[in-house]
Amino acid sequence: METKTKEVANILKAPAPNMVGDGFRVHNFFPSGYEIDMNPFFLMDYGSKIEFSARKEPRGVGVHPHRGFETVTIAYHGAVAHHDSSGNSGIIYPGDIQWMTAASGILHKEYHEQAYSLAGGPFQMVQLWVNLPAKDKMSKPKYQAIKQADLATFTLQDEGGKIEIIAGNYQGIKGNANTFTPIELYNARLNKGGKANFNFAANFNTGFMVIEGSIKVNGEDTAEVNNFIHFKNDGEEISIEALENSIVLILSGEPIDEPIFQYGPFLMNTESEIEIAISDYNHGKFGYLEE
């Protein structure tokens, strides 16, 4: 059976930035920046490349709760340290991924790593909120630390570059991250002229974020750095070609066909579940984490 091209719906420019705490300047592509359906990805904050000056006291975001979803942080420049109320801590260096399942509830803080803060320099990251199905929203929090050196990779032909498989399966190679629902998440690191092909189910919501460089999509559309390419749900095949050395974050996932009710850092199915989350947080059921 012949496959069909998954066509481009829109090529979206970065919305106006906003600050999260004093350490993260982000462009929220969705849900507030653009009304696009990327379910099971609920939110994408893209921190385009920015220079932070050297500073003794690290910038960042103080203690805050999460429930009902996962946060996925992907680092390209700079370094972020983090702690949570489950006792997890670590540093996300360029190329690393932090996959935190907040699920039933967690307190979390994230800030510029000390050595990076003292030196300053370029900073560029992506944070995704990945929804959880209702049956898993109150599961136990967990944490997956994925170092770039440990990522499964596929080498492209003709010295075209490589695909780093964070989650899902590319050309038979499985990514490191365990997910609750079918999700494909890759970094395509392409050399100029490098080509890569992707195949995602027609119903999977799909978007590509151009982190660096510029690419041609399906032989027709050109997308530049800081552009997000949103695809239609009408085909399976996507091809890209790097017009210069490029990095592209690939997102594709099966929608979770359940109602969503969001309030601040809580992502549940009903308003009453949000009320319970707020009550649990106020009664200290998310644990304790020092500021």
Side-chain angles (χ1 to χ4, degrees):
M1 184 175 172
E2 190 176 343
T3 55
K4 182 184 173 187
T5 298
K6 190 182 284 284
E7 296 180 359
V8 172
N10 290 292
I11 295 177
L12 306 171
K13 293 185 177 180
N18 64 280
M19 292 299 295
V20 178
D22 65 355
F24 303 94
R25 188 198 70 170
V26 301
H27 310 266
N28 182 260
F29 274 90
F30 56 87
S32 62
Y34 293 98
E35 293 183 2
I36 58 174
D37 187 4
M38 282 297 295
N39 175 8
F41 307 100
F42 177 79
L43 172 149
M44 186 178 79
D45 274 341
Y46 168 58
S48 61
K49 194 185 292 185
I50 184 176
E51 290 280 334
F52 278 108
S53 58
R55 180 166 152 172
K56 192 172 183 180
E57 186 67 27
R59 301 171 174 89
V61 182
V63 176
H64 55 283
H66 290 305
R67 172 178 278 182
F69 63 100
E70 302 180 286
T71 66
V72 181
T73 305
I74 306 162
Y76 297 96
H77 292 280
V80 173
H82 65 92
H83 285 81
D84 68 40
S85 55
S86 291
N88 295 307
S89 64
I91 299 170
I92 314 164
Y93 290 108
D96 296 348
I97 296 95
Q98 177 217 51
W99 197 298
M100 185 181 77
T101 305
S104 62
I106 208 164
L107 300 178
H108 186 229
K109 62 180 179 179
E110 48 207 327
Y111 44 92
H112 294 184
E113 183 269 333
Q114 186 70 45
Y116 167 76
S117 187
L118 288 170
F123 194 89
Q124 186 180 25
M125 305 230 169
V126 171
Q127 186 170 92
L128 304 165
W129 288 15
V130 180
N131 190 23
L132 289 171
K135 66 181 180 62
D136 298 311
K137 281 188 179 292
M138 293 300 289
S139 59
K140 186 179 178 181
K142 68 175 185 176
Y143 172 74
Q144 300 176 76
I146 305 171
K147 296 294 184 185
Q148 185 180 30
D150 298 328
L151 282 170
T153 61
F154 177 86
T155 302
L156 297 168
Q157 291 182 336
D158 304 320
E159 298 183 351
K162 64 181 179 179
I163 308 295
E164 295 174 341
I165 304 107
I166 301 166
N169 186 304
Y170 183 79
Q171 301 287 10
I173 299 175
K174 190 176 182 302
N176 303 57
N178 294 312
T179 66
F180 287 81
T181 59
I183 286 172
E184 305 293 327
L185 186 64
Y186 325 138
N187 272 320
R189 297 181 182 269
L190 306 178
N191 298 322
K192 183 178 179 180
K195 297 178 181 179
N197 297 306
F198 304 91
N199 187 301
F200 304 121
N203 71 313
F204 275 36
N205 290 319
T206 303
F208 290 6
M209 182 73 229
V210 184
I211 304 294
E212 191 174 293
S214 58
I215 61 171
K216 183 161 278 193
V217 185
N218 293 335
E220 295 178 357
D221 298 288
T222 299
E224 300 176 344
V225 66
N226 302 337
N227 286 174
F228 184 79
I229 308 148
H230 186 224
F231 291 89
K232 297 178 182 179
N233 295 95
D234 65 351
E236 301 85 29
E237 293 283 345
I238 300 170
S239 65
I240 61 174
E241 179 182 356
L243 302 177
E244 55 190 306
N245 291 349
S246 300
I247 301 172
V248 186
L249 177 64
I250 311 294
L251 311 171
S252 190
E254 182 178 57
I256 298 171
D257 187 20
E258 296 173 351
I260 288 179
F261 204 101
Q262 183 237 346
Y263 179 81
F266 308 126
L267 188 59
M268 304 301 289
N269 298 106
T270 66
E271 186 174 4
S272 62
E273 289 172 340
I274 293 291
E275 292 169 353
I276 293 167
I278 294 169
S279 175
D280 286 351
Y281 169 63
N282 289 333
H283 286 87
K285 292 185 179 180
F286 283 52
Y288 174 77
L289 185 62
E290 188 176 343
E291 283 283 357

